[in-house]
Amino acid sequence: MADARAHRGSVSTEAAGDADPTAILLDRLAHDLRGPLSPLQTAAYLLRRPDLEPDRRDELLAIIDRQTTRLSSMVQEVSDWARARQSRLVSRREAIVPSMLVELAVTSSKADVRLDVAAELDERTLDGDAQRLVQMLVALVGFMHSRHGEVVMTAELAEQGVRIDIAADGSPWSPGERESLFTGAEAEPFDEGLGLRLMIAKAIAQAHGGDMRARETRNGLAMVRVLLPLRAAAAED
């Protein structure tokens, strides 16, 4: 998996050249959005057959359910990307306990995660959109899970606020992957989506006054570090 990622690159950095990166990305989106439509059209056509066996009918209905879910997710991905470009991703803010945030993200993800949360985070709060922050962490967990290594998430206090590290145990970065991780859409999305989720995740961190960087663990393994500022003391009171 890691070797394959060495040739992935991103749409905006490798395909754009002197052309408009937005136009190239939109062309890519139009192509990818057609993906779920073909099986939907085939299933709809076959369901009209009066001699269709019940088992085959159930299979076709499952295809429709799966592909419509995928298409809906893609449309939401495009919507989030557009909102990120317009700085409209975060619409509401509330006090969030960091330890509860990471635990909710782990529960919401589809991966087994080894979680290590500093006890002092129970007494601190962030100021942000809980739904968006969970979305951000779930995307990072999904990305690390796709590398076929155990996902390890640690959360602790840092000088800049709260530091959350998400790593893939046993999976190093491929050459050039770390530098281009957030610069454009993934050429081969980790989740059968449009390849925008990592860009959106970083935009969510930045919308909260934080940042997101591709780093390495002490053992040289792939890791993404998220920094989020704590809620101001006046807001706490």
Side-chain angles (χ1 to χ4, degrees), residues 97-100 103 116-124 155-157:
V97 178
S99 56
M100 295 181 62
E103 289 170 4
D116 184 10
V117 183
E120 59 262 35
L121 290 184
D122 290 336
E123 301 175 357
R124 304 300 177 95
E156 58 188 353
L157 282 177

Side-chain angles (χ1 to χ4, degrees), residues 105-114 138 141-146 149-151:
V106 169
T107 302
S108 301
S109 71
K110 299 178 181 179
D112 292 329
V113 180
R114 178 152 48 96
V138 168
V141 168
F143 170 70
M144 288 300 178
H145 179 65
S146 74
E150 181 185 17
V151 180

Side-chain angles (χ1 to χ4, degrees), residues 5-205:
R5 287 180 180 273
H7 304 288
R8 282 186 169 188
S10 63
V11 171
S12 64
T13 57
E14 294 187 359
D18 295 331
D20 179 4
T22 301
I24 291 176
L25 184 55
L26 289 175
D27 182 66
R28 148 84 182 275
L29 296 181
H31 175 272
D32 287 356
L33 284 170
R34 296 189 189 101
L37 293 178
S38 179
L40 285 173
Q41 291 172 330
T42 301
Y45 172 78
L46 293 175
L47 282 170
R48 295 190 180 96
R49 295 181 53 177
D51 60 339
L52 195 64
E53 295 291 333
D55 289 347
R56 179 57 173 160
R57 182 180 299 275
D58 291 341
E59 180 182 339
L60 292 172
L61 290 173
I63 290 174
I64 290 176
D65 182 59
R66 184 168 60 251
Q67 294 301 330
T68 51
T69 299
R70 182 185 174 199
L71 185 59
S72 176
S73 178
M74 286 179 166
V75 171
Q76 185 61 54
E77 198 172 341
V78 174
S79 175
D80 286 347
W81 175 73
R83 292 176 68 88
R85 288 173 59 85
Q86 300 167 8
S87 301
R88 296 193 300 113
L89 266 177
V90 177
S91 58
R92 62 177 180 270
R93 291 180 179 273
E94 59 184 335
I96 306 167
V97 178
S99 56
M100 295 181 62
L101 173 68
V102 295
E103 289 170 4
L104 180 57
V106 169
T107 302
S108 301
S109 71
K110 299 178 181 179
D112 292 329
V113 180
R114 178 152 48 96
L115 182 62
D116 184 10
V117 183
E120 59 262 35
L121 290 184
D122 290 336
E123 301 175 357
R124 304 300 177 95
T125 57
L126 302 169
D127 182 37
D129 186 327
Q131 182 176 352
R132 289 296 188 188
L133 289 172
V134 168
Q135 175 187 347
M136 173 191 73
L137 294 176
V138 168
L140 296 176
V141 168
F143 170 70
M144 288 300 178
H145 179 65
S146 74
R147 306 178 69 88
H148 299 295
E150 181 185 17
V151 180
V152 180
M153 181 187 295
T154 61
E156 58 188 353
L157 282 177
E159 183 178 350
Q160 304 94 329
V162 177
R163 181 173 63 229
I164 305 172
D165 291 340
I166 303 99
D169 194 11
S171 176
W173 294 117
S174 299
E177 182 187 7
R178 175 179 170 182
E179 294 77 13
S180 64
L181 193 64
F182 303 110
T183 60
E186 289 184 285
E188 297 178 24
F190 68 89
D191 60 349
E192 294 188 335
L194 298 171
L196 303 173
R197 296 200 188 280
L198 295 180
M199 294 170 61
I200 294 168
K202 182 165 185 175
I204 292 172

